[in-house]
Amino acid sequence: MKILIINASVRDERSYSRKLTRLFVENWKTKYPSDVFTYRETGMVSIPIINENWIAGAFKKPSDRTEENRKALQLSDELVKELKEHDVYVIGTPMYNWSVPSGLKAYIDQVMRINETWKFRSGAPDGDYVGLLENKKAFILSTRGDTGYGENEKNGHTNFQTTYLKHILGIMGITDISVFSLDNEEFGGEVFENSKKEIFNAIHSIR
């Protein structure tokens, strides 16, 4: 299998989301030593934001695209191809201002491609989306400064991080999604230590 690791933190050694992806890789390798890993950086490497030429090109047939359209879509084509070629996606991301880092959002904008990773069922805008990435598995490894962001918890309504990622992945056809969240990173203490133990144990138990 081919595993795509997507790191989103703007921090390096101090990043807990990166520690989680490293832990994931170490654990996975012990169980599946023949699997292949690819790393995609969105936090410490700038992902270009989409522009007018990108949008114009994405909604045209490939044969109708101008040179400007093709140039604007060059990175997007590479990222979409990468998604299609991999079987498992592992997204390591902190929560920034209740959502995902801007680099990860820019990456998502690059890969949310009509007729490439999703389409309208009828072929015209109808609100009925069909994902085109089939037989994929995703792991979301999130870190958050505070606590209570789970479903029905006190801050759950402000969680635009994992809920957003699950929705985006679902639109692209990925419904086999596991979420592991390390909470209270900013404040530490007993809650953080307990959260670390829980998530580390959960990652070690992945089969």
Side-chain angles (χ1 to χ4, degrees), residues 63 84 95 101 112 156 186 206:
S63 58
K84 291 179 177 179
M95 174 183 277
M112 286 293 292
E186 187 70 24
I206 293 172

Side-chain angles (χ1 to χ4, degrees), residues 98-191:
W98 299 278
S99 186
V100 298
S102 59
L104 181 54
K105 177 58 168 65
Y107 171 86
I108 290 168
D109 288 344
Q110 290 282 355
V111 299
M112 286 293 292
R113 287 275 301 277
I114 189 167
N115 297 324
E116 291 285 349
T117 56
W118 67 275
K119 67 178 182 178
F120 292 112
R121 189 176 300 278
S122 68
D126 58 6
D128 188 2
Y129 305 102
V130 178
L132 300 178
L133 298 179
E134 300 179 342
N135 303 315
K136 310 293 186 181
K137 165 72 178 173
F139 293 90
I140 300 172
L141 309 181
S142 77
T143 59
R144 305 185 288 220
D146 199 359
T147 57
Y149 290 106
E151 188 176 355
N152 298 321
E153 293 185 342
K154 65 176 182 178
N155 292 321
H157 66 290
T158 65
N159 177 9
F160 305 107
Q161 180 206 38
T162 56
T163 53
Y164 169 69
L165 290 173
K166 287 173 66 177
H167 179 75
I168 288 294
L169 290 169
I171 293 291
M172 293 191 289
I174 306 140
T175 56
D176 186 0
I177 304 170
S178 297
V179 179
F180 302 97
S181 297
L182 178 61
D183 288 343
N184 220 52
E185 179 192 351
E186 187 70 24
F187 301 102
E190 184 177 357
V191 173

